[in-house]
Structures are given as structure tokens and as C-alpha cells.
Coordinates of all heavy atoms in Angstrom, one line a residue:
M1 N -8.6 59.9 -10.4 CA -7.4 59.6 -9.5 C -7.3 58.1 -9.3 O -8.3 57.5 -9.0 CB -7.6 60.4 -8.2 CG -6.6 60.0 -7.2 SD -6.8 61.0 -5.7 CE -5.7 62.3 -6.1
P2 N -6.1 57.6 -9.6 CA -5.9 56.1 -9.4 C -6.0 55.7 -7.9 O -5.7 56.5 -7.0 CB -4.5 55.9 -9.9 CG -3.9 57.2 -10.0 CD -4.9 58.2 -10.1
S3 N -6.4 54.5 -7.7 CA -6.6 54.0 -6.4 C -5.2 53.8 -5.7 O -4.3 53.4 -6.4 CB -7.3 52.7 -6.4 OG -7.2 52.0 -5.2
M4 N -5.1 54.1 -4.4 CA -3.8 53.9 -3.8 C -3.4 52.4 -3.6 O -2.3 52.0 -3.5 CB -3.8 54.5 -2.4 CG -3.9 56.0 -2.4 SD -2.5 56.7 -3.4 CE -1.1 56.4 -2.3
R5 N -4.4 51.5 -3.7 CA -4.2 50.1 -3.7 C -3.3 49.7 -4.8 O -2.5 48.7 -4.7 CB -5.5 49.3 -3.8 CG -6.2 49.3 -2.5 CD -7.4 48.4 -2.7 NE -8.1 48.2 -1.4 CZ -9.0 47.3 -1.1 NH1 -9.3 46.5 -2.0 NH2 -9.5 47.2 0.1
R6 N -3.4 50.3 -5.9 CA -2.6 50.0 -7.1 C -1.1 50.2 -6.7 O -0.2 49.5 -7.3 CB -3.0 50.9 -8.2 CG -2.2 50.7 -9.5 CD -2.8 51.5 -10.6 NE -1.9 51.4 -11.7 CZ -1.5 52.5 -12.4 NH1 -2.0 53.6 -12.1 NH2 -0.7 52.3 -13.4
F7 N -0.8 51.1 -5.8 CA 0.6 51.4 -5.5 C 1.1 50.7 -4.3 O 2.3 50.8 -3.9 CB 0.8 52.9 -5.4 CG 0.5 53.7 -6.6 CD1 -0.7 54.4 -6.7 CD2 1.3 53.6 -7.7 CE1 -1.0 55.1 -7.8 CE2 1.0 54.3 -8.9 CZ -0.2 55.0 -8.9
A8 N 0.3 49.9 -3.6 CA 0.7 49.2 -2.4 C 1.6 48.1 -2.8 O 1.4 47.3 -3.7 CB -0.5 48.7 -1.7
L9 N 2.7 48.0 -2.0 CA 3.7 46.9 -2.3 C 3.2 45.6 -1.6 O 3.5 44.5 -2.1 CB 5.1 47.2 -1.7 CG 5.7 48.4 -2.4 CD1 7.1 48.7 -1.8 CD2 5.9 48.2 -3.9
L10 N 2.5 45.7 -0.6 CA 1.9 44.5 0.1 C 0.4 44.6 0.1 O -0.2 45.6 0.4 CB 2.4 44.5 1.6 CG 3.9 44.3 1.8 CD1 4.2 44.4 3.3 CD2 4.3 42.9 1.3
R11 N -0.2 43.4 -0.2 CA -1.6 43.3 -0.1 C -2.0 43.1 1.4 O -1.2 42.6 2.1 CB -2.1 42.2 -1.0 CG -2.0 42.5 -2.5 CD -2.5 41.3 -3.3 NE -1.3 40.8 -4.0 CZ -1.1 39.6 -4.2 NH1 -1.9 38.6 -3.8 NH2 0.0 39.2 -4.8
P12 N -3.2 43.4 1.7 CA -3.7 43.2 3.1 C -3.5 41.7 3.6 O -3.1 41.5 4.7 CB -5.1 43.6 3.1 CG -5.2 44.6 2.0 CD -4.3 44.1 1.0
T13 N -3.7 40.8 2.6 CA -3.6 39.4 3.0 C -2.1 39.1 3.3 O -1.8 38.3 4.2 CB -4.1 38.5 1.9 OG1 -3.4 38.8 0.7 CG2 -5.6 38.6 1.7
E14 N -1.2 39.6 2.6 CA 0.2 39.4 2.8 C 0.7 40.0 4.1 O 1.4 39.4 4.9 CB 1.1 40.0 1.7 CG 0.9 39.2 0.4 CD 1.5 39.9 -0.8 OE1 1.6 41.2 -0.8 OE2 1.8 39.2 -1.8
L15 N 0.2 41.2 4.4 CA 0.5 41.9 5.7 C 0.0 41.0 6.8 O 0.7 40.8 7.8 CB -0.1 43.3 5.8 CG 0.6 44.3 4.9 CD1 -0.3 45.6 5.0 CD2 1.9 44.6 5.5
A16 N -1.3 40.5 6.7 CA -1.8 39.7 7.7 C -1.0 38.4 7.9 O -0.8 38.0 9.1 CB -3.3 39.4 7.4
Q17 N -0.6 37.8 6.8 CA 0.2 36.6 6.9 C 1.5 36.8 7.6 O 1.9 36.0 8.5 CB 0.5 36.1 5.5 CG -0.4 35.0 4.9 CD 0.1 34.6 3.6 OE1 0.3 35.3 2.7 NE2 0.3 33.3 3.5
L18 N 2.2 37.9 7.2 CA 3.4 38.2 7.9 C 3.3 38.5 9.4 O 4.1 38.1 10.2 CB 4.1 39.4 7.2 CG 4.7 39.1 5.8 CD1 5.1 40.4 5.1 CD2 5.8 38.1 5.8
A19 N 2.2 39.2 9.7 CA 2.0 39.5 11.1 C 1.7 38.2 11.9 O 2.2 38.0 13.0 CB 0.8 40.4 11.3
E20 N 0.9 37.3 11.3 CA 0.6 36.0 12.0 C 1.9 35.2 12.1 O 2.1 34.6 13.2 CB -0.5 35.3 11.2 CG -0.9 34.0 11.8 CD -1.9 33.3 11.0 OE1 -2.8 34.0 10.3 OE2 -1.9 32.0 10.9
L21 N 2.7 35.1 11.1 CA 3.9 34.3 11.1 C 4.9 34.9 12.2 O 5.5 34.2 12.9 CB 4.6 34.3 9.8 CG 3.8 33.5 8.7 CD1 4.4 33.7 7.3 CD2 3.9 32.0 9.0
S22 N 4.9 36.2 12.2 CA 5.8 36.9 13.2 C 5.4 36.6 14.6 O 6.2 36.3 15.5 CB 5.8 38.4 13.0 OG 6.6 39.0 13.9
E23 N 4.1 36.7 14.9 CA 3.5 36.4 16.2 C 3.8 35.0 16.6 O 4.2 34.7 17.8 CB 2.0 36.7 16.3 CG 1.7 38.2 16.3 CD 0.2 38.5 16.2 OE1 -0.6 37.5 16.5 OE2 -0.1 39.6 15.9
R24 N 3.6 34.1 15.7 CA 3.8 32.6 16.0 C 5.3 32.4 16.3 O 5.7 31.6 17.2 CB 3.3 31.8 14.8 CG 3.5 30.3 15.1 CD 2.6 29.8 16.2 NE 2.8 28.3 16.3 CZ 2.9 27.7 17.5 NH1 2.7 28.4 18.6 NH2 3.1 26.4 17.5
H25 N 6.2 33.0 15.5 CA 7.6 32.9 15.7 C 8.0 33.4 17.1 O 8.7 32.7 17.8 CB 8.4 33.7 14.6 CG 9.8 33.5 14.7 ND1 10.6 34.4 15.4 CD2 10.6 32.6 14.2 CE1 11.9 34.0 15.3 NE2 11.9 32.9 14.5
E26 N 7.5 34.5 17.5 CA 7.8 35.1 18.8 C 7.3 34.1 19.9 O 8.0 33.9 20.9 CB 7.1 36.4 19.0 CG 7.8 37.5 18.3 CD 7.1 38.9 18.5 OE1 6.6 39.1 19.6 OE2 7.1 39.7 17.5
E27 N 6.1 33.6 19.7 CA 5.6 32.6 20.7 C 6.5 31.4 20.8 O 6.8 30.9 21.9 CB 4.2 32.2 20.2 CG 3.5 31.2 21.1 CD 2.1 30.8 20.5 OE1 1.4 31.7 20.0 OE2 1.9 29.6 20.5
L28 N 6.9 30.9 19.7 CA 7.8 29.7 19.7 C 9.1 30.0 20.3 O 9.7 29.1 21.1 CB 8.0 29.1 18.3 CG 6.8 28.4 17.7 CD1 7.0 28.2 16.2 CD2 6.5 27.1 18.4
M29 N 9.6 31.2 20.1 CA 10.9 31.5 20.7 C 10.8 31.6 22.2 O 11.7 31.2 22.9 CB 11.5 32.8 20.1 CG 11.8 32.7 18.6 SD 12.8 31.3 18.2 CE 14.4 31.8 18.8
R30 N 9.7 32.2 22.7 CA 9.5 32.3 24.1 C 9.3 30.9 24.7 O 9.9 30.6 25.8 CB 8.2 33.1 24.4 CG 8.4 34.6 24.3 CD 7.2 35.4 24.9 NE 5.9 35.0 24.3 CZ 5.4 35.7 23.2 NH1 6.1 36.7 22.7 NH2 4.3 35.3 22.7
H31 N 8.7 30.0 24.0 CA 8.5 28.6 24.4 C 9.9 27.9 24.5 O 10.1 27.2 25.4 CB 7.6 27.9 23.3 CG 7.1 26.6 23.7 ND1 6.0 26.4 24.5 CD2 7.6 25.4 23.4 CE1 5.9 25.1 24.7 NE2 6.8 24.4 24.0
L32 N 10.7 28.2 23.5 CA 12.0 27.6 23.5 C 12.9 28.1 24.7 O 13.6 27.3 25.3 CB 12.7 27.9 22.2 CG 14.0 27.1 21.8 CD1 13.8 25.6 21.9 CD2 14.5 27.6 20.5
V33 N 12.8 29.4 25.0 CA 13.5 29.9 26.1 C 13.0 29.3 27.4 O 13.8 29.0 28.3 CB 13.4 31.5 26.1 CG1 13.8 32.0 27.5 CG2 14.1 32.1 25.0
A34 N 11.7 29.1 27.5 CA 11.1 28.5 28.7 C 11.6 27.1 28.8 O 11.9 26.6 30.0 CB 9.6 28.5 28.6
L35 N 11.7 26.4 27.7 CA 12.2 25.0 27.8 C 13.7 24.9 28.2 O 14.1 24.0 29.0 CB 12.1 24.3 26.4 CG 10.7 23.9 26.0 CD1 10.7 23.4 24.5 CD2 10.2 22.7 26.9
E36 N 14.5 25.9 27.8 CA 15.9 25.9 28.1 C 16.1 26.3 29.6 O 17.0 25.9 30.2 CB 16.6 26.8 27.2 CG 16.7 26.3 25.8 CD 17.3 27.3 24.8 OE1 17.5 28.5 25.2 OE2 17.5 26.9 23.7
A37 N 15.1 27.1 30.1 CA 15.3 27.6 31.5 C 14.8 26.6 32.6 O 15.3 26.6 33.7 CB 14.4 28.9 31.7
T38 N 13.9 25.7 32.2 CA 13.4 24.7 33.1 C 13.6 23.3 32.6 O 13.3 23.0 31.4 CB 11.9 24.9 33.5 OG1 11.2 24.8 32.2 CG2 11.7 26.2 34.1
P39 N 14.2 22.4 33.4 CA 14.4 21.0 32.9 C 13.0 20.4 32.6 O 12.1 20.6 33.4 CB 15.2 20.3 34.0 CG 15.1 21.2 35.2 CD 14.7 22.6 34.7
P40 N 12.9 19.6 31.6 CA 11.6 18.9 31.3 C 11.3 17.8 32.3 O 12.2 17.2 32.8 CB 11.8 18.3 29.9 CG 13.3 18.2 29.7 CD 13.9 19.3 30.6
T41 N 10.0 17.7 32.6 CA 9.5 16.6 33.5 C 8.6 15.7 32.7 O 8.2 16.1 31.6 CB 8.8 17.2 34.7 OG1 7.6 17.8 34.3 CG2 9.7 18.1 35.5
G42 N 8.3 14.6 33.2 CA 7.4 13.7 32.5 C 6.0 14.2 32.3 O 5.2 13.7 31.5
T43 N 5.6 15.2 33.0 CA 4.2 15.8 33.0 C 4.1 17.0 32.1 O 3.0 17.6 32.0 CB 3.7 16.1 34.4 OG1 4.6 17.0 35.0 CG2 3.7 14.8 35.2
D44 N 5.2 17.5 31.5 CA 5.2 18.7 30.7 C 4.3 18.5 29.4 O 4.4 17.4 28.8 CB 6.6 19.1 30.2 CG 7.4 19.8 31.3 OD1 6.8 20.3 32.2 OD2 8.6 19.8 31.1
T45 N 3.5 19.5 29.1 CA 2.7 19.5 27.9 C 3.4 20.3 26.8 O 2.9 20.4 25.7 CB 1.3 20.0 28.2 OG1 1.4 21.3 28.7 CG2 0.6 19.1 29.2
L46 N 4.6 20.9 27.1 CA 5.3 21.7 26.2 C 5.9 20.8 25.1 O 6.3 19.7 25.3 CB 6.4 22.5 26.9 CG 5.9 23.5 28.0 CD1 7.2 24.1 28.7 CD2 5.1 24.5 27.4
L47 N 6.1 21.4 23.9 CA 6.8 20.7 22.9 C 8.3 20.6 23.3 O 8.8 21.4 24.1 CB 6.8 21.5 21.6 CG 5.4 21.7 20.9 CD1 5.5 22.7 19.8 CD2 4.9 20.4 20.4
D48 N 9.0 19.5 22.8 CA 10.4 19.5 23.1 C 11.2 20.5 22.3 O 10.6 20.9 21.2 CB 10.9 18.0 23.1 CG 11.1 17.5 21.7 OD1 11.1 18.3 20.7 OD2 11.2 16.3 21.5
P49 N 12.4 20.8 22.6 CA 13.1 21.8 21.9 C 13.3 21.5 20.4 O 13.2 22.4 19.6 CB 14.5 21.9 22.6 CG 14.2 21.4 24.0 CD 13.1 20.4 23.8
R50 N 13.5 20.2 20.1 CA 13.6 19.9 18.7 C 12.4 20.2 17.9 O 12.4 20.7 16.8 CB 14.0 18.4 18.6 CG 14.3 18.0 17.2 CD 14.8 16.5 17.2 NE 15.2 16.1 15.8 CZ 14.3 15.7 14.9 NH1 13.0 15.8 15.1 NH2 14.8 15.3 13.7
E51 N 11.2 19.8 18.4 CA 9.9 20.1 17.8 C 9.7 21.6 17.6 O 9.3 22.0 16.5 CB 8.8 19.5 18.6 CG 8.7 18.0 18.6 CD 7.7 17.5 19.5 OE1 7.4 18.1 20.6 OE2 7.1 16.4 19.2
V52 N 10.1 22.4 18.6 CA 10.0 23.9 18.5 C 10.9 24.4 17.4 O 10.5 25.2 16.5 CB 10.3 24.5 19.8 CG1 10.3 26.1 19.6 CG2 9.3 24.2 20.9
Q53 N 12.1 23.9 17.3 CA 13.1 24.3 16.3 C 12.6 23.9 14.9 O 12.7 24.7 13.9 CB 14.5 23.7 16.5 CG 15.1 24.4 17.8 CD 16.4 23.6 18.2 OE1 16.7 22.5 17.7 NE2 17.2 24.3 19.0
I54 N 12.0 22.8 14.7 CA 11.4 22.4 13.4 C 10.3 23.3 13.0 O 10.2 23.7 11.9 CB 11.0 20.9 13.5 CG1 12.2 20.0 13.6 CG2 10.1 20.6 12.3 CD1 11.8 18.5 13.9
E55 N 9.4 23.6 14.0 CA 8.3 24.5 13.7 C 8.8 25.9 13.3 O 8.3 26.6 12.4 CB 7.3 24.6 14.8 CG 6.0 25.2 14.4 CD 4.9 24.9 15.4 OE1 5.0 24.0 16.2 OE2 3.9 25.7 15.3
V56 N 9.9 26.4 14.0 CA 10.4 27.7 13.7 C 11.0 27.7 12.3 O 10.8 28.6 11.5 CB 11.6 28.1 14.7 CG1 12.4 29.2 14.2 CG2 10.9 28.4 16.1
R57 N 11.7 26.6 11.9 CA 12.2 26.5 10.5 C 11.0 26.6 9.5 O 11.2 27.2 8.5 CB 13.0 25.3 10.3 CG 14.4 25.4 10.8 CD 15.3 24.2 10.4 NE 16.0 23.8 11.6 CZ 15.9 22.7 12.2 NH1 15.1 21.8 11.8 NH2 16.6 22.4 13.3
Q58 N 10.0 25.9 9.8 CA 8.8 25.9 8.9 C 8.2 27.3 8.8 O 7.8 27.7 7.7 CB 7.7 24.9 9.4 CG 8.2 23.4 9.2 CD 7.2 22.5 9.9 OE1 6.4 22.8 10.8 NE2 7.3 21.2 9.5
L59 N 8.1 28.0 9.9 CA 7.6 29.4 9.9 C 8.5 30.2 9.0 O 8.0 31.1 8.3 CB 7.5 29.9 11.3 CG 6.3 29.5 12.1 CD1 6.5 30.0 13.5 CD2 5.1 30.0 11.5
R60 N 9.8 30.1 9.2 CA 10.7 30.9 8.4 C 10.6 30.6 6.9 O 10.6 31.5 6.1 CB 12.2 30.6 8.8 CG 12.5 31.2 10.2 CD 13.9 30.9 10.6 NE 14.1 31.5 11.9 CZ 15.1 31.1 12.7 NH1 15.9 30.1 12.4 NH2 15.2 31.7 13.9
Q61 N 10.3 29.3 6.5 CA 10.1 29.0 5.1 C 8.9 29.6 4.6 O 8.8 30.2 3.5 CB 10.1 27.5 5.0 CG 11.4 26.8 5.1 CD 12.4 27.2 4.1 OE1 12.1 27.4 2.9 NE2 13.6 27.5 4.5
E62 N 7.8 29.6 5.4 CA 6.6 30.3 5.0 C 6.8 31.8 4.8 O 6.3 32.4 3.9 CB 5.5 30.0 6.0 CG 5.0 28.6 6.0 CD 3.9 28.4 7.1 OE1 3.0 29.2 7.2 OE2 4.0 27.4 7.8
T63 N 7.5 32.4 5.7 CA 7.8 33.8 5.6 C 8.6 34.1 4.4 O 8.3 35.1 3.7 CB 8.6 34.3 6.9 OG1 7.8 34.0 8.1 CG2 8.9 35.8 6.8
L64 N 9.6 33.3 4.1 CA 10.3 33.5 2.9 C 9.5 33.4 1.6 O 9.7 34.1 0.6 CB 11.5 32.5 2.8 CG 12.6 32.7 3.8 CD1 13.6 31.6 3.7 CD2 13.3 34.1 3.5
K65 N 8.5 32.5 1.6 CA 7.6 32.4 0.4 C 6.8 33.7 0.2 O 6.7 34.2 -0.9 CB 6.7 31.2 0.6 CG 7.3 29.9 0.4 CD 6.3 28.7 0.7 CE 7.0 27.4 0.7 NZ 6.0 26.3 1.0
V66 N 6.3 34.2 1.4 CA 5.5 35.5 1.3 C 6.4 36.6 0.8 O 6.1 37.4 -0.1 CB 4.9 35.8 2.6 CG1 4.2 37.2 2.6 CG2 3.9 34.8 3.0
L67 N 7.6 36.7 1.4 CA 8.5 37.8 1.0 C 9.0 37.6 -0.5 O 9.2 38.6 -1.2 CB 9.7 37.8 1.9 CG 9.4 38.2 3.3 CD1 10.7 38.1 4.2 CD2 8.9 39.6 3.4
E68 N 9.1 36.4 -1.0 CA 9.5 36.2 -2.4 C 8.3 36.7 -3.3 O 8.6 37.3 -4.3 CB 9.7 34.7 -2.6 CG 10.0 34.3 -4.1 CD 11.3 35.0 -4.6 OE1 12.1 35.4 -3.9 OE2 11.4 35.0 -5.9
A69 N 7.1 36.4 -2.9 CA 6.0 36.9 -3.7 C 6.0 38.5 -3.7 O 5.8 39.1 -4.8 CB 4.7 36.4 -3.1
V70 N 6.3 39.1 -2.6 CA 6.4 40.6 -2.5 C 7.6 41.0 -3.4 O 7.4 42.0 -4.2 CB 6.6 41.0 -1.1 CG1 7.0 42.5 -1.0 CG2 5.4 40.7 -0.2
R71 N 8.7 40.3 -3.4 CA 9.8 40.7 -4.2 C 9.5 40.7 -5.7 O 9.8 41.6 -6.5 CB 11.0 39.8 -3.9 CG 12.3 40.2 -4.7 CD 13.4 39.1 -4.7 NE 13.0 37.9 -5.3 CZ 13.0 37.7 -6.6 NH1 13.3 38.6 -7.5 NH2 12.6 36.5 -7.1
Q72 N 8.8 39.6 -6.1 CA 8.4 39.5 -7.5 C 7.4 40.6 -7.9 O 7.5 41.2 -9.0 CB 7.7 38.2 -7.7 CG 8.7 37.0 -7.7 CD 8.1 35.7 -7.8 OE1 6.8 35.5 -7.8 NE2 8.9 34.6 -7.8
T73 N 6.5 41.0 -7.0 CA 5.6 42.1 -7.2 C 6.4 43.4 -7.4 O 6.1 44.2 -8.3 CB 4.6 42.3 -6.0 OG1 3.9 41.1 -5.9 CG2 3.7 43.4 -6.3
I74 N 7.4 43.6 -6.6 CA 8.2 44.8 -6.7 C 8.9 44.9 -8.0 O 9.0 45.9 -8.7 CB 9.1 45.0 -5.5 CG1 8.3 45.2 -4.2 CG2 10.2 46.0 -5.7 CD1 9.1 45.1 -2.9
E75 N 9.5 43.7 -8.4 CA 10.3 43.7 -9.6 C 9.4 44.0 -10.9 O 9.9 44.4 -11.9 CB 11.0 42.3 -9.8 CG 12.2 42.2 -8.9 CD 12.9 40.9 -9.0 OE1 12.3 40.0 -9.7 OE2 14.0 40.8 -8.5
R76 N 8.1 43.7 -10.8 CA 7.2 43.9 -11.9 C 6.7 45.3 -12.0 O 6.1 45.7 -13.0 CB 6.0 42.9 -11.8 CG 6.3 41.5 -12.2 CD 5.1 40.7 -12.3 NE 4.2 40.7 -11.1 CZ 4.2 39.7 -10.2 NH1 5.1 38.7 -10.3 NH2 3.4 39.8 -9.2
L77 N 7.0 46.1 -11.0 CA 6.6 47.5 -11.0 C 7.2 48.3 -12.1 O 8.4 48.0 -12.5 CB 6.9 48.2 -9.7 CG 6.1 47.8 -8.4 CD1 6.7 48.4 -7.2 CD2 4.6 48.1 -8.6
P78 N 6.5 49.2 -12.7 CA 7.1 50.0 -13.8 C 8.2 50.9 -13.4 O 8.3 51.3 -12.3 CB 5.9 50.8 -14.4 CG 4.8 50.7 -13.4 CD 5.2 49.6 -12.5

């Protein structure tokens, strides 16, 4: 009987990467909402909204890379 791993569309490492990227994205979005809700003060240790948006874009790019690898795997399926 063939191993079920052979039929998996996502490898465990890809699933873990996507989960980590998703969690980080949610964290950054909450951070951005908090920044928008309270005016910044000189003592804030939070990132400024621009830095958060840049990091969100980077996360999205990383996510797209993982999803592209998954798409290529799917296309190679018999």
C-alpha cells in the first residue's frame, strides 16, 4: 500500500510555514489597529504604521512563495 505522504499536497514544513506566516500576519494587523486607535507618543515601543505595513507586505510575499511551490507541486501531479 503506498504511503499517504505521497498524495499529500502540502508537506508538513509548508503547513508549518503557512501557519507561522498567518499568525504573524494576524499579530501585525492587530498591532496596526492598535496604532490607529491610539495616537503615538514619544515613549511608544510599537512599530510605526509604515513599518508594520512594510512587514505585512514582506509576509505576503513569503506566503506567495510558499503557495507558488504548492501550485507547482500540484501541477506536477499525474
